[in-house]
């Protein structure tokens, strides 16, 4: 694994110590100075995406077991079904719901996976003021 105080330790190693965070900040400042670009920090609400997934997958229901005992697995818009549809893990779906928002990159990727343009899910996609 890379040494502390490096960007690779921050990104690949997941380290969030003060030294690695400082290395990432330095990289961002240098990148912005070199390219004139700033990262897209817009956030979009999770709810419109969840509503779309629920409409496509159907309501989450638990079917009665046919063997006389227990219950069958849930069907419809479960966290697992939403995650599988979006190509992410269940924990990602749960985290997006907990936060109530997703990044512009995540929103774009999710929309494309569903065969849609993000502007069809989020009305303010083209707005610079989206937060």
């Amino acid at each position: 694994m890379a040494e502390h105080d490096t960007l690779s330790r921050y990104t690949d190693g997941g380290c969030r110590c003060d030294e690695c965070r400082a290395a990432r900040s330095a990289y961002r400042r240098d990148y912005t100075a070199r390219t004139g670009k700033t990262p897209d920090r817009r956030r979009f609400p999770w709810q419109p995406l969840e509503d779309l997934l629920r409409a496509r997958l159907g309501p989450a229901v638990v079917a009665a077991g046919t063997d006389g005992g227990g219950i069958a697995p849930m069907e419809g818009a479960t966290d697992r079904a939403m995650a599988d549809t979006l190509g992410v893990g269940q924990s990602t779906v749960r985290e997006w719901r907990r936060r109530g928002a997703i990044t512009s990159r995540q929103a774009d990727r999710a929309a494309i996976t569903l065969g849609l343009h993000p502007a069809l899910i989020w009305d303010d996609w083209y707005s610079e003021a989206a937060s």
Side-chain angles (χ1 to χ4, degrees):
M1 188 172 290
E3 296 294 320
H4 284 282
D5 192 24
T6 62
L7 180 63
S8 61
R9 182 70 181 252
Y10 181 93
T11 56
D12 298 334
C15 182
R16 297 299 184 264
C17 71
D18 291 340
E19 292 84 11
C20 292
R21 289 174 56 161
R24 181 176 182 267
S25 293
Y27 171 79
R28 288 274 206 196
R29 279 192 306 275
D30 180 57
Y31 177 82
T32 300
R34 280 186 293 117
T35 65
K37 296 179 182 177
T38 56
D40 185 356
R41 295 202 168 127
R42 295 177 303 155
R43 301 284 186 268
F44 292 89
W46 157 251
Q47 197 60 51
L49 181 58
E50 185 169 18
D51 292 345
L52 176 63
L53 289 166
R54 288 191 185 286
R56 285 191 175 193
L57 296 171
V61 295
V62 178
T66 57
D67 61 356
I71 55 174
M74 292 184 72
E75 299 175 358
T78 62
D79 287 351
R80 177 177 298 219
M82 285 189 248
D84 290 346
T85 301
L86 295 173
V88 299
Q90 289 181 66
S91 60
T92 300
V93 168
R94 291 180 186 127
E95 183 64 16
W96 289 346
R97 184 180 297 118
R98 185 188 70 75
R99 288 184 181 169
I102 61 178
T103 66
S104 59
R105 184 178 212 174
Q106 293 166 333
D108 186 49
R109 195 170 290 159
I112 290 169
T113 299
L114 295 173
L116 299 171
H117 190 281
L120 296 173
I121 302 172
W122 294 278
D123 294 336
D124 59 349
W125 180 257
Y126 290 111
S127 170
E128 293 295 325
S131 54

